[in-house]
Amino acid sequence: MLTFSVSSCKANEEAAEYLNGNAPDVKVFSLFEIDSATNRFSTENKIGEGGFGVVYKGILPNGEEIAVKRRSEGSRQGFTEFKNETILNARLQHVNLVRLLGFCNDKEEQMLVYEYMPNKSLDFYLFDPIKQHLLDWKQRVCIIEGVTQGLIYLQEYSRLTIIHRDLKASNILLDHEMKPKISDFGMARSFKKDEHEERASKLVGTYGYIPPEYVEKGLCSIKSDVYSFGIVLLQIISGKKISSLYGENNDLNLLEYAYILWKEGKGMEFMDASLDDTSSPCKLMRCLQIALLCVQKNAKDRPSMLEVGLMLRNKSNFMAIPKQPAYSKVGNEEVVESSQHPKSCSRNETTMSPVWGR
């Protein structure tokens, strides 16, 4: 097991020894190397900022572009999160996860070095009235597929079951081809394959993406990430923020608004007006129904990510009828048949491709 100490030299020696045998592609960087790559952490190289600290773009001597997450002195995330993200990312290899190139724990500096993602994060596009037009339906389908694949890998195909615990639009980064990669594993937890849930000692994550059983009871499971995925899916098809209120009186949260429109057969009113796929309402309505199933109040009512993958590919013979979603005050009247299956909908109309773990 990789152990870090506060002593920078000792920590880097321990890390190097561990990684040589367990993750040889992950490099231990010196402070001098990163300082040079980022032009001494220049303001011009700053590309973002999060809970861990500031993110800088850098260029290595071989010309490779990197993203450096530098823990700030007042960071909400500490040494534990730094160590956690390093260890987990060293073990994970998937095309839809941001690749960890290395880290630095030198002279009290704690930094994570990742592959550079030139097209920023998903929220940079979704919630901007101009930039959202750059994400057409084909690209959004690609993003939905990629995030689904990444989560299936974490839950089913990695050596340990990984729960991200902070999945959100800003933690989904886009590469040069606009393909998505899940990032930021500082809050993630790992489980043995025969474990199903645990009670967390403290609440972590982002308001709006956290399921009720985690808020109320501290229970964390793979269904926690399913809930967060449901929120992200609602945002991808609607371009709407979780923090805003909707409806005629602006008194409905995003989940309530989506559920009421779906229940009344008006789901297309929920969709992002910038989408150009107006001839395929079935695809959008199917995504809406899947998203609502993912944000059910009871974790047992939510599908697994494998089941989500089958439903997105239209390979599931049965899709449950969503009940009222979590954090909802609206009623749960019987849903009319027409709201679930528009007349123009056919089983083979979906464009989702296979989402097996890689």
Side-chain angles (χ1 to χ4, degrees):
M1 175 59 67
L2 175 59
T3 58
F4 293 88
S5 68
V6 177
S7 170
S8 61
C9 294
K10 180 175 173 53
N12 272 3
E13 290 173 1
E14 290 174 348
E17 182 179 354
Y18 173 85
L19 293 172
N20 283 338
N22 293 273
D25 294 332
V26 177
K27 179 182 177 181
V28 182
F29 287 87
S30 69
L31 178 58
F32 174 79
E33 289 176 295
I34 297 181
D35 190 65
S36 299
T38 60
N39 192 21
R40 306 190 72 174
F41 304 101
S42 68
T43 303
E44 292 78 11
N45 282 16
K46 180 179 176 180
I47 56 176
E49 188 168 1
F52 185 81
V54 179
V55 183
Y56 296 89
K57 179 181 177 180
I59 301 178
L60 297 177
N62 64 2
E64 182 178 8
E65 295 179 317
I66 59 174
V68 179
K69 289 175 61 176
R70 183 188 192 189
R71 192 172 80 87
S72 60
E73 187 174 341
S75 172
R76 299 191 302 272
Q77 299 180 29
F79 194 76
T80 299
E81 287 77 17
F82 169 73
K83 181 175 72 172
N84 186 56
E85 186 160 0
T86 304
I87 293 173
L88 278 180
N89 275 280
R91 295 173 174 173
L92 300 174
Q93 295 291 331
H94 190 271
V95 68
N96 292 116
L97 305 181
V98 175
R99 183 163 59 97
L100 179 71
L101 302 178
F103 71 94
C104 174
N105 184 41
D106 192 359
K107 294 181 171 41
E108 299 184 355
E109 289 275 9
Q110 293 154 13
M111 292 175 281
L112 296 160
V113 181
Y114 285 97
E115 61 177 321
Y116 177 65
M117 302 292 282
N119 282 313
K120 304 182 183 295
S121 57
L122 179 58
D123 64 322
F124 179 76
Y125 300 90
L126 280 183
F127 311 130
D128 186 287
I130 303 299
K131 296 184 178 67
Q132 64 185 195
H133 290 271
L134 299 175
L135 290 182
D136 60 19
W137 177 238
K138 181 179 179 181
Q139 288 173 317
R140 296 192 198 204
V141 167
C142 176
I143 291 169
I144 294 168
E145 289 177 345
V147 176
T148 302
Q149 290 176 11
L151 288 175
I152 289 176
Y153 167 77
L154 292 174
Q155 296 183 3
E156 304 290 341
Y157 298 120
S158 65
R159 285 176 290 177
L160 295 172
T161 298
I162 308 296
I163 304 175
H164 188 281
R165 297 206 300 175
D166 199 21
L167 183 71
K168 55 185 177 181
S170 60
N171 281 339
I172 298 171
L173 305 184
L174 303 171
D175 69 9
H176 64 285
E177 295 180 337
M178 298 296 283
K179 293 180 180 179
K181 299 194 179 190
I182 300 171
S183 69
D184 200 344
F185 284 79
M187 302 294 183
R189 297 298 296 269
S190 61
F191 288 75
K192 295 180 180 178
K193 286 300 181 182
D194 58 349
E195 295 177 336
H196 301 287
E197 68 177 18
E198 72 170 13
R199 193 176 297 275
S201 58
K202 66 176 182 178
L203 185 67
V204 299
T206 302
Y207 176 80
Y209 295 86
I210 305 174
E213 72 274 7
Y214 190 36
V215 173
E216 298 168 3
K217 302 176 183 179
L219 292 177
C220 182
S221 71
I222 60 174
K223 294 297 184 73
S224 303
D225 280 354
V226 172
Y227 180 90
S228 301
F229 171 81
I231 300 294
V232 173
L233 182 52
L234 287 175
Q235 294 179 319
I236 291 174
I237 62 176
S238 71
K240 293 177 172 57
K241 295 183 177 181
I242 190 68
S243 58
S244 301
L245 294 176
Y246 304 94
E248 293 182 1
N249 300 316
N250 288 328
D251 59 349
L252 301 174
N253 65 41
L254 183 67
L255 306 189
E256 293 171 325
Y257 184 55
Y259 177 68
I260 287 177
L261 289 177
W262 177 83
K263 184 177 64 174
E264 295 177 350
K266 301 177 182 178
M268 290 305 295
E269 295 181 17
F270 180 74
M271 307 306 173
D272 191 336
S274 71
L275 288 176
D276 59 0
D277 195 34
T278 55
S279 63
S280 301
C282 179
K283 303 171 190 176
L284 292 164
M285 289 296 290
R286 189 172 186 85
C287 285
L288 176 56
Q289 185 172 349
I290 293 170
L292 288 172
L293 289 172
C294 290
V295 297
Q296 296 292 277
K297 180 178 181 180
N298 191 330
K300 294 180 180 179
D301 292 334
R302 300 172 206 150
S304 67
M305 287 309 302
L306 275 175
E307 291 170 329
V308 167
L310 291 173
M311 288 188 288
L312 287 172
R313 291 163 51 218
N314 215 358
K315 297 294 185 181
S316 177
N317 293 324
F318 172 76
M319 281 181 62
I321 304 302
K323 304 172 186 176
Q324 67 183 47
Y327 308 115
S328 176
K329 305 179 292 294
V330 300
N332 192 36
E333 295 86 354
E334 183 179 357
V335 180
V336 296
E337 182 71 14
S338 61
S339 69
Q340 306 155 37
H341 305 288
K343 292 181 180 180
S344 60
C345 185
S346 66
R347 282 186 51 80
N348 296 321
E349 195 174 7
T350 182
T351 60
M352 298 293 180
S353 60
V355 288
W356 303 118
R358 299 178 188 172

